[in-house]
Amino acid sequence: MEGANAGVSSRVWTVPNVLSFLRLALVPVFLWLIIVGQDALALLVLVFSSVTDFLDGYLARRLRQVSRLGQLLDPAADRLYIFAALIGLCWREVIPWWLFVVIVARDVMLAVLGVILANHGFGPLPVHHLGKVATFCLFWALPLLMLGEAFEPLAPYSLPLGWAFALWGAFLYWWAGIVYVRETARVIRLPADDSGPASDTLDGKEVDGA
């Protein structure tokens, strides 16, 4: 039993997973910096997080330490940074609260879909390319808006671009959400395969929602 526990522990505390935990630990710091208006420092934290995100993916493949935990932590960290930026910028009235509600409502819907899939014996759906593009847009929109707040000379350029990314990201986020609803409706009509993996993450696929 002790050997089994040691094996599980060693799989959890791999270098890629430690980097992912570090990214998660910096989310409250990132949020606090935005709320107090330290956008330049918040951007530095975000850059550091992006570098560690690249490193943990690279090391996971290089060291053959790809794990289900890591596949769940990465998209969770991305969403938490997006939510933190949204909350902080909404708190300071840089962006309206409706944008936060639109984005969070879609993720709540995805969580409900996950429960429905689980009740029918299926794991989370693989990420659709629209979901990836939407996340990419949002992940660029919020730093661009912060950049305009941190450096006033850049505001005429970064703010319009940031808003363009934000609005397109929100639109694509919901478009992808509708795709997930249709796919869930299709999947739950299929018989659950108890002999296969309970989740797509076990097949090495990235999943949307944590």
Side-chain angles (χ1 to χ4, degrees):
M1 182 65 70
E2 290 181 2
N5 291 335
V8 172
S9 178
S10 65
R11 290 194 296 271
V12 170
W13 296 110
T14 61
V15 174
N17 285 349
V18 169
L19 290 174
S20 295
F21 283 124
L22 178 59
R23 290 179 67 212
L24 289 170
L26 288 173
V27 171
V29 177
F30 178 67
L31 174 59
W32 179 81
L33 289 172
I34 297 176
I35 289 176
V36 299
Q38 296 293 329
D39 294 305
L41 291 176
L43 285 169
L44 287 177
V45 172
L46 192 59
V47 168
F48 177 80
S49 171
S50 299
V51 171
T52 57
D53 185 25
F54 169 79
L55 284 176
D56 74 53
Y58 173 78
L59 292 173
R61 294 186 296 271
R62 184 79 173 180
L63 302 176
R64 297 183 180 180
Q65 293 179 340
V66 176
S67 65
R68 184 186 181 189
L69 177 62
Q71 291 169 337
L72 294 175
L73 287 177
D74 281 348
D78 289 342
R79 277 177 170 74
L80 287 174
Y81 273 98
I82 290 174
F83 290 160
L86 284 170
I87 292 171
L89 293 176
C90 286
W91 185 270
R92 288 165 48 197
E93 300 183 348
V94 175
I95 60 176
W97 280 100
W98 64 260
L99 183 60
F100 174 81
V101 172
V102 164
I103 293 172
V104 172
R106 185 269 196 181
D107 278 340
V108 170
M109 181 187 72
L110 228 63
V112 173
L113 294 180
V115 173
I116 293 173
L117 286 166
N119 287 338
H120 285 79
F122 295 98
L125 295 171
V127 176
H128 192 275
H129 67 274
L130 281 174
K132 291 184 178 181
V133 174
T135 301
F136 172 84
C137 288
L138 293 174
F139 214 78
W140 275 99
L142 300 173
L144 284 169
L145 294 173
M146 292 165 56
L147 192 65
E149 292 294 318
F151 304 102
E152 189 174 347
L154 297 177
Y157 310 100
S158 65
L159 292 181
L161 192 58
W163 271 108
F165 272 113
L167 295 177
W168 268 109
F171 171 74
L172 293 175
Y173 216 48
W174 270 97
W175 188 356
I178 293 171
V179 172
Y180 293 132
V181 170
R182 293 176 59 185
E183 187 65 11
T184 298
R186 182 189 69 82
V187 167
I188 62 177
R189 294 190 183 99
L190 302 174
D193 183 8
D194 294 331
S195 63
S199 170
D200 292 321
T201 57
L202 296 180
D203 289 333
K205 297 179 181 178
E206 188 181 359
V207 295
D208 202 323

